[in-house]
Amino acid sequence: MTMIPQPYFSLLLAVALFLTAPLNGQSPTYISGQVLISLRPGLSPEKLVVRGETALAKPLIIKEMVSTMLNIWLLETVADDAGEKPLLEWLRKQPEVRMAQLNHRLTFRGGPPNGLLPNDPLIGQQWHYVNYGNNGGLFDADLDAEQAWEYTTGGLSAAGDTIVVAVIDGGVDFQHPDLAANAWFNREEIPNDGLDNDDNGYIDDFRGWNVNAYNDNITGQTTGHGTPVCGILGARGNNGLGVSGVNWQVKIMFIAGTNAGGMEGTEAAILSAYSYILTARQRYNTSNGQHGAFVTAVNCSWGIDYGKPADSPLWCAAFDTLGMAGILSVAATANLDLNIDVDGDMPTACTSNYLVTVTSLQRNDQKASLAAWGPEGIDLGAYGQQVYTLGAGNTYGTYSGTSFAAPQVAGAIGLLYSMPCGNLVAIAKNDPSTAALWAKSLVLGSTTPNLSLMGSIKTGGRLNLYNLLKDYNDLCNPCPAPFSLTAQVNDVAASLSWAQIPDYQTFNLQYRLLGQSAWVIHTDVTSPFILPVSTVCQPYEFSLQAYCQSGQASAWSEPVTFNSAGCCLPPTPVTLGSAGTTFLTLHWPASSPVGSWAVRYRVVGSSAAWLEMPTLLNTITLLNLNTCTSYEVQIKSQCNGVYTAYSSLFKFTTAGCGSCTQVPYCTANASLSSGEWIDTVSIGNWEQISGAGGGGYQNFTDDQFIALKVHPLDTLPVTISPGFFGVTNKEFFRIYVDFNADGDFDDPGEKAFDPGYATHLNITGFFKTPNFTYAGFTRMRVLMKAKNSTNGPPEPCESFDFGQIEDYCVLLDPTSATGNLPEPAGQLKVFPRPANASVTLEWPEADGQQANLQVWNMAGQLVWSQAVTGAQHQTHIQILDWKAGMYRVSLQTERGVWQAKILKL
């Protein structure tokens, strides 16, 4: 391996590009033509983009939604001499825009290793734990780790929670034997089944998440930086192998945040990574630890040299959002000798209370010569120069840079939560943001003073693991108040429960009707406590007091309220008992004093009248339903002859969707689709206009309304239109259909369209079906792949760089090989397109036939319909009140179906 002296470079997450900036603070490098915006909650940028194109006289497209956190979107425009400043100035004046900024490039905060050593299990090489003063070191210039580990070595909290620290980086080698045991897995997810099993918004995120590949390939593009960062934070300790991390047993949630195809990272990718972490902790918080992950900190060992918080308001705001959920962000500062308060740095110049910023020290306890500082911006130091840890590929070596100081602090926060004292965890379960702030104050308040940092950073000191854990232990209330109180109510009693930690010996419980002054007290109770409740539909509150091993009594916990049974309420939840092709059996909980119920249902999105059925039982079977169709259901309760309001909507789908959605198919993806995409696919009279966006893979299989229907031995005209942004490329096209519904595209005849050449124009030809016998829905895959000097047409399970893949459902009808109805002549036309107030639909004369004209939104909801007769061939629709977006319009006649799209501004 080539040796590179350290520290001379700041390794970009980009293709071998190294950023330099003068000390006068020139603008940081960013992605030309891209901006990030935060919109008001619930809004999307379609209307904004249309206005922007008019105001700026240049194209503006929605590249992707980056993060649900702060409702962040990435927009893209043509790069020109004017730059992005006019666009930013215009965006910041728009009423729906909260913040707008450039999409900056990031740099790793560490250089390449300056040498690799043999794979020997020598913790003595890790001088930052115990420094004996050899090799130019200073005696006791270390973390005092050996003393800290007498308190805890990580693992579980006092309440039994698995402690997780997140790392966002380029990639990680979790196959390393000294790291594998500490890898976090999403145990609620079934790997590689193509489903979002835990309903967290991410499909197959078993090992974590790759924000660019949209899968759990956390190996990413490079593991040379992320692996040692994870090793310093949490290499498995006391396992007889190699080295140890600060935290011996922590679980590391890894999010690959670099762009596929290179080593570059952007703010968009990082904000998306934060969103994944936030979702995991929020699910943990709202489910009382039953779902998600107890993420206590996230490590950020990358940034923007000379970056200004004013240029990156979304990034700074993200730290506050994470902190409110209980997550501290730990960030490495720049590998430059500069004052970030004057010259800037991102993210360490942000001022969030939930951000901990770290600079780097050497083994002689002096600040590293190329490590930034700032009396206001940098919190503390840690050892980042020539630290020894594991590397990718089952290796070990020495690494330098602030990148390797920050994970010591992140690992220390995880250690803090693993202390036997339950105070911090109790607060985290009831007020997670307060717990995060306390954890930060403990870290900063326990530093060891350091002469080289005095006056140049906030604390003037460096991380000390022993001081941190000892200070917390000294402050620990030997008997914290009970936490995680819950109540489950039935007709005769309430089951009251709470969390248990080892210190708790016995409990007292008090309860009362809400508003009364006197408490009823029960002593020496256990969880769960069954409390008989005689009053009907009344609000109660209860709290608990614990006695601990020390003999001390805790304070009473904050009261928790609940209603006794007997309230006449709509039932919830409504669950699916069984689903057939034409029926649904539903169940819901029965409770007194409900005597009966009424159920109403209809097709999801339909404007038709509800069908309503009364029932005396808390179950019902809905009959004569459509196959593979989603229905919305509401139920109301009747008490003493009076009905409640209807419940919220519950949605269920009948069976019969076949292999299209019920069989896991192989994955395929184009990693770079922003410049070229599948714009339109037409087969016979079926047309799907998907347009730009959606990334390298778009899945339309959840919309059965747009399914193509085919018969055996069909030969249908096909046209695929590519879309381009900027440079046009020649593209290969193919269409595969799983005609025997066996979950693959490998059988003879399943390549339904293959023109055999590449073009930058619309491709035309014929879509041919074999003499199939399967009846029902199956999967169709449309592929577009950019041609280069060496590659060939796309395979159905291939992932490639440039292009796009789209999946659809196809309805196979084997009843007639030759009895297809003649294709309707002509086409359905829509103008203007796009439209704002009204739109005109025009089609060939219907030859006296009865026909039905319908418009659906992209969620599959029917928004407008009209019957047409005789020679009528045109109609006008008022769309001023419609939401902006794409709509599908279809005209069904006895001869076939015409389809087109309406684009509403």
Side-chain angles (χ1 to χ4, degrees):
M1 176 177 178
T2 302
M3 304 300 177
I4 303 176
Q6 288 197 67
Y8 293 102
F9 304 110
S10 187
L11 178 61
L12 262 183
L13 302 173
V15 184
L17 177 64
F18 294 89
L19 286 181
T20 59
L23 291 179
N24 62 7
Q26 72 177 37
S27 298
T29 302
Y30 56 88
I31 306 300
S32 180
Q34 291 189 356
V35 294
L36 290 161
I37 60 171
S38 171
L39 298 180
R40 297 203 317 268
L43 298 183
S44 60
E46 285 83 2
K47 291 183 179 179
L48 180 73
V49 164
V50 173
R51 296 202 313 271
E53 289 180 334
T54 301
L56 301 166
K58 59 193 297 188
L60 183 62
I61 66 170
I62 304 167
K63 188 170 177 65
E64 64 178 319
M65 184 180 189
V66 169
S67 174
T68 55
M69 174 181 63
L70 301 175
N71 195 13
I72 299 172
W73 297 75
L74 178 63
L75 306 183
E76 193 166 64
T77 188
V78 176
D80 54 26
D81 293 339
E84 293 71 18
K85 184 177 179 180
L87 174 58
L88 283 175
E89 290 177 348
W90 182 84
L91 285 168
R92 288 165 179 163
K93 297 176 182 177
Q94 304 312 302
E96 63 265 62
V97 176
R98 296 188 292 189
M99 292 176 279
Q101 65 163 82
L102 299 171
N103 185 22
H104 299 95
R105 289 190 175 98
L106 315 178
T107 63
F108 274 146
R109 285 321 175 42
N114 67 356
L116 294 176
L117 299 175
N119 183 15
D120 295 330
L122 298 174
I123 197 170
Q125 296 280 355
Q126 296 185 281
W127 59 266
H128 57 289
Y129 293 149
V130 183
N131 191 340
Y132 295 106
N134 56 334
N135 297 322
L138 178 68
F139 181 79
D140 202 32
D142 55 45
L143 301 177
D144 285 342
E146 82 284 8
Q147 296 169 278
W149 290 333
E150 292 184 8
Y151 282 105
T152 181
T153 57
L156 303 179
S157 74
D161 307 274
T162 298
I163 297 168
V164 180
V165 174
V167 173
I168 305 172
D169 217 290
V172 65
D173 178 13
F174 269 147
Q175 300 301 312
H176 197 297
D178 215 2
L179 192 60
N182 284 352
W184 174 83
F185 294 99
N186 181 5
R187 301 295 182 182
E188 296 182 273
E189 192 74 9
I190 300 172
N192 303 318
D193 68 347
L195 301 174
D196 180 12
N197 305 108
D198 60 353
D199 199 29
N200 69 343
Y202 299 85
I203 296 174
D204 287 339
D205 59 318
F206 179 68
R207 299 185 299 170
W209 194 243
N210 185 316
V211 300
N212 296 289
Y214 305 104
N215 58 32
D216 69 343
N217 176 22
I218 54 175
T219 303
Q221 297 299 311
T222 172
T223 59
H225 185 270
T227 304
V229 165
C230 290
I232 290 169
L233 188 158
R236 190 72 168 191
N238 200 35
N239 64 348
L241 293 174
V243 298
S244 174
V246 168
N247 198 320
W248 292 8
Q249 300 177 79
V250 69
K251 292 300 180 184
I252 302 172
M253 173 190 286
F254 196 90
I255 302 89
T258 62
N259 287 339
M263 294 173 61
E264 184 179 72
T266 67
E267 281 177 280
I270 296 308
L271 289 167
S272 182
Y274 285 144
S275 190
Y276 180 84
I277 297 165
L278 178 66
T279 297
R281 179 60 190 267
Q282 286 178 331
R283 295 182 73 240
Y284 174 92
N285 292 345
T286 57
S287 68
N288 195 28
Q290 298 303 304
H291 305 290
F294 186 45
V295 185
T296 57
V298 53
N299 187 81
C300 317
S301 287
W302 26 258
I304 305 171
D305 295 341
Y306 302 98
K308 304 291 187 183
D311 295 327
S312 299
L314 300 179
W315 193 350
C316 292
F319 297 130
D320 288 337
T321 306
L322 291 162
M324 293 304 293
I327 303 170
L328 284 177
S329 296
V330 180
T333 195
N335 288 301
L336 297 166
D337 187 17
L338 57 83
N339 182 348
I340 70 160
D341 298 341
V342 176
D343 299 307
D345 181 69
M346 281 298 295
T348 56
C350 290
T351 57
S352 172
N353 290 328
Y354 301 96
L355 175 65
V356 182
T357 53
V358 187
T359 191
S360 177
L361 290 163
Q362 306 173 81
R363 68 173 71 205
N364 62 2
D365 231 14
Q366 297 296 304
K367 184 183 76 69
S369 58
L370 292 182
W373 48 280
E376 297 298 325
I378 303 303
D379 290 318
L380 77 166
Y383 296 103
Q385 189 72 11
Q386 295 184 331
V387 290
Y388 188 75
T389 188
L390 55 83
N394 197 16
T395 61
Y396 295 82
T398 303
Y399 297 81
S400 292
T402 56
S403 277
F404 310 106
Q408 296 171 29
V409 179
I413 293 169
L415 269 184
L416 184 61
Y417 277 90
S418 72
M419 283 285 285
C421 171
N423 293 181
L424 183 63
V425 177
I427 295 173
K429 289 178 177 291
N430 290 280
D431 189 352
S433 63
T434 298
L437 292 175
W438 188 21
K440 177 179 177 178
S441 69
L442 287 166
V443 171
L444 301 189
S446 60
T447 57
T448 295
N450 181 275
L451 289 176
S452 72
L453 300 177
M454 289 289 186
S456 63
I457 68 171
K458 282 184 183 179
T459 63
R462 56 171 169 82
L463 176 69
N464 188 300
L465 293 180
Y466 172 67
N467 287 350
L468 169 65
L469 302 186
K470 182 179 183 299
D471 287 355
Y472 172 61
N473 189 68
D474 291 345
L475 292 171
C476 183
N477 185 330
C479 198
F483 53 94
S484 297
L485 281 64
T486 60
Q488 299 291 328
V489 180
N490 59 31
D491 288 345
V492 296
S495 177
L496 310 179
S497 59
W498 53 93
Q500 176 74 52
I501 61 175
D503 271 352
Y504 290 155
Q505 300 299 298
T506 61
F507 300 90
N508 296 332
L509 182 146
Q510 61 181 11
Y511 76 95
R512 63 185 175 185
L513 277 168
L514 199 62
Q516 291 188 350
S517 58
W519 291 91
V520 179
I521 297 177
H522 292 269
T523 60
D524 198 15
V525 299
T526 58
S527 178
F529 177 77
I530 305 303
L531 176 67
V533 180
S534 58
T535 56
V536 175
C537 192
Q538 292 292 316
Y540 285 82
E541 61 180 346
F542 78 102
S543 67
L544 286 150
Q545 179 188 48
Y547 284 88
C548 297
Q549 288 181 347
S550 62
Q552 291 182 270
S554 76
W556 287 94
S557 67
E558 287 295 317
V560 170
T561 61
F562 66 93
N563 284 327
S564 60
C567 298
C568 192
L569 300 171
T572 187
V574 179
T575 58
L576 179 66
S578 60
T581 56
T582 60
F583 73 89
L584 293 167
T585 299
L586 308 177
H587 305 287
W588 56 90
S591 62
S592 176
V594 178
S596 64
W597 297 266
V599 180
R600 69 177 186 180
Y601 64 97
R602 64 182 178 185
V603 174
V604 169
S606 173
S607 59
W610 291 90
L611 297 175
E612 186 168 323
M613 297 176 60
T615 176
L616 296 174
L617 303 175
N618 61 322
T619 183
I620 196 169
T621 299
L622 308 179
L623 301 171
N624 301 317
L625 306 180
N626 297 329
T627 299
C628 188
T629 302
S630 294
Y631 286 85
E632 53 192 13
V633 178
Q634 290 181 301
I635 304 178
K636 61 183 179 181
S637 301
Q638 186 187 68
C639 306
N640 300 318
V642 178
Y643 276 110
T644 66
Y646 273 104
S647 67
S648 56
L649 283 173
F650 296 90
K651 297 180 181 180
F652 307 97
T653 303
T654 53
C657 295
S659 64
C660 183
T661 59
Q662 296 172 0
V663 172
Y665 282 85
C666 62
T667 58
N669 185 59
S671 57
L672 300 170
S673 65
S674 60
E676 51 210 307
W677 58 86
I678 298 170
D679 191 64
T680 306
V681 183
S682 300
I683 303 173
N685 292 307
W686 177 87
E687 182 182 59
Q688 172 67 12
I689 305 172
S690 54
Y697 172 75
Q698 296 197 87
N699 189 348
F700 298 102
T701 61
D702 59 347
D703 190 352
Q704 308 299 332
F705 293 107
I706 64 173
L708 167 69
K709 183 178 181 180
V710 297
H711 299 79
L713 303 179
D714 272 344
T715 299
L716 304 173
V718 57
T719 300
I720 306 177
S721 302
F724 297 100
F725 182 79
V727 178
T728 59
N729 297 316
K730 288 189 175 182
E731 308 287 339
F732 288 112
F733 300 89
R734 278 181 173 175
I735 299 177
Y736 289 84
V737 179
D738 183 16
F739 285 111
N740 63 354
D742 65 346
D744 61 49
F745 303 104
D746 301 334
D747 301 291
E750 294 192 334
K751 189 192 300 179
F753 174 65
D754 181 14
Y757 65 96
T759 179
H760 65 286
L761 304 173
N762 293 353
I763 194 81
T764 60
F766 292 96
F767 176 96
K768 298 181 179 181
T769 67
N771 193 18
F772 59 81
T773 58
Y774 179 80
F777 288 100
T778 191
R779 183 76 65 99
M780 176 172 73
R781 179 160 292 176
V782 183
L783 301 103
M784 184 184 90
K785 175 184 176 183
K787 182 183 184 302
N788 59 36
S789 59
T790 60
N791 69 359
E795 297 299 326
C797 301
E798 182 182 0
S799 292
F800 42 84
D801 289 335
F802 298 96
Q804 195 172 53
I805 297 99
E806 295 180 343
D807 276 2
Y808 299 92
C809 284
V810 174
L811 180 59
L812 303 181
D813 182 0
T815 58
S816 172
T818 58
N820 291 339
L821 295 171
E823 302 294 341
Q827 59 181 320
L828 179 63
K829 298 179 180 179
V830 178
F831 55 89
R833 189 161 182 261
N836 183 26
S838 65
V839 66
T840 298
L841 307 180
E842 185 178 282
W843 60 93
E845 292 187 7
D847 298 330
Q849 303 173 66
Q850 295 288 331
N852 188 32
L853 193 61
Q854 296 179 318
V855 180
W856 306 79
N857 62 24
M858 298 313 290
Q861 299 171 319
L862 182 66
V863 298
W864 183 89
S865 65
Q866 177 179 299
V868 295
T869 59
Q872 182 181 359
H873 64 280
Q874 188 182 79
T875 191
H876 306 280
I877 308 176
Q878 299 301 314
I879 65 171
L880 185 61
D881 295 332
W882 292 11
K883 293 182 179 179
M886 191 77 73
Y887 294 81
R888 179 176 54 83
V889 56
S890 66
L891 179 69
Q892 299 177 337
T893 74
E894 295 175 359
R895 296 174 55 192
V897 179
W898 288 287
Q899 290 191 333
K901 290 291 177 67
I902 298 171
L903 179 58
K904 168 67 170 66
L905 296 180

